Amino acid sequence: MLDEVTTHGGHADLAAAHFDAICTVYDEVFSRPPFFWRDDESVLHRERLDQLLTDPSFGITVALVRQDLVGFAYGFTLPATTRRWSNVTGPLPDETTREWPGRTFMLFDFAVLPAARGHRVGKTLHDQLLASRAEQRATLTVQPTAADTKAIYQHWGWRQVGQMEGGSTAAAPLFDVYLRDSLDDLRQTR
């Protein structure tokens, strides 16, 4: 079955075409340990995704087995005026916190169904999405309890730079903040 996985990259129109399936996969993946799950998370995720689809910098890659979505990765470009870095605990060097238009891609959500894991579906989604981006670098957050997920990110070239509180409508109360300083290696293998 997994030898039939295809991946497709695109923008808001691709995400809109798979909106309900993305939400179903999100709910299945993040409602289980080791992730924190709030009672209203499914509704909040739908609202966040719907809002992201209005961002012209939004990008997505989906993985399908036949017509069934088994994974996705999506995000957007951080604006130059972002307050993201001021919310990260611990001192960060100016070089890390300085933003300009098009500098940093935010890998906002990324999930693969359990049955599709261990077959490079996640790595393919990750690499294809990031290789398609023009930004210099990327950032993401992950829940501190997701040790296996964090180990995978570190293996893929990410480094933890701090933590931040989630806020009142975030998926979790606390996140580890990761940075990938360059996307050039992914573009070269494309």
Side-chain angles (χ1 to χ4, degrees):
M1 174 174 127
L2 286 175
D3 57 345
E4 300 174 20
V5 174
T6 59
T7 57
H8 307 276
H11 303 283
D13 55 338
L14 179 63
H18 294 283
F19 191 92
D20 287 335
I22 290 167
C23 293
T24 298
V25 169
Y26 181 94
D27 291 354
E28 184 169 337
V29 169
F30 293 109
S31 66
R32 300 174 186 212
F35 299 104
F36 175 85
W37 184 259
R38 46 190 293 164
D39 292 339
D40 58 351
E41 180 55 26
S42 185
V43 171
L44 291 172
H45 170 255
R46 284 181 163 278
E47 291 171 358
R48 287 189 300 264
L49 178 56
D50 190 50
Q51 181 63 38
L52 283 176
L53 297 185
T54 66
D55 187 321
S57 71
F58 178 86
I60 186 168
T61 301
V62 296
L64 304 169
V65 173
R66 295 178 206 83
Q67 302 298 343
D68 297 326
L69 189 115
V70 297
F72 62 82
Y74 61 78
F76 60 94
T77 306
L78 286 180
T81 57
T82 186
R83 295 181 52 204
R84 175 177 181 76
W85 304 113
S86 64
N87 296 326
V88 177
T89 59
L92 291 174
D94 287 343
E95 177 53 34
T96 299
T97 62
R98 192 173 323 132
E99 288 292 343
W100 52 80
R103 181 177 192 204
T104 307
F105 179 72
M106 172 71 182
L107 179 53
F108 194 76
D109 278 323
F110 178 24
V112 176
L113 288 175
R117 294 180 192 157
H119 301 278
R120 300 191 54 81
V121 174
K123 178 75 167 136
T124 300
L125 286 168
H126 171 273
D127 290 1
Q128 185 175 333
L129 178 62
L130 294 182
S132 74
R133 302 304 300 189
E135 293 86 358
Q136 169 191 339
R137 64 184 190 168
T139 186
L140 61 80
T141 56
V142 63
Q143 294 183 26
T145 54
D148 291 344
T149 302
K150 295 189 313 180
I152 289 168
Y153 285 138
Q154 291 166 1
H155 181 71
W156 291 348
W158 295 84
R159 64 184 174 93
Q160 186 176 350
V161 295
Q163 288 189 317
M164 67 186 340
E165 290 184 16
S168 63
T169 60
L174 185 68
F175 293 95
D176 290 341
V177 179
Y178 280 75
L179 187 65
R180 196 174 201 281
D181 295 303
S182 175
L183 306 179
D184 289 343
D185 62 314
L186 299 174
R187 291 185 195 109
Q188 292 170 0
T189 60
R190 230 179 133 190

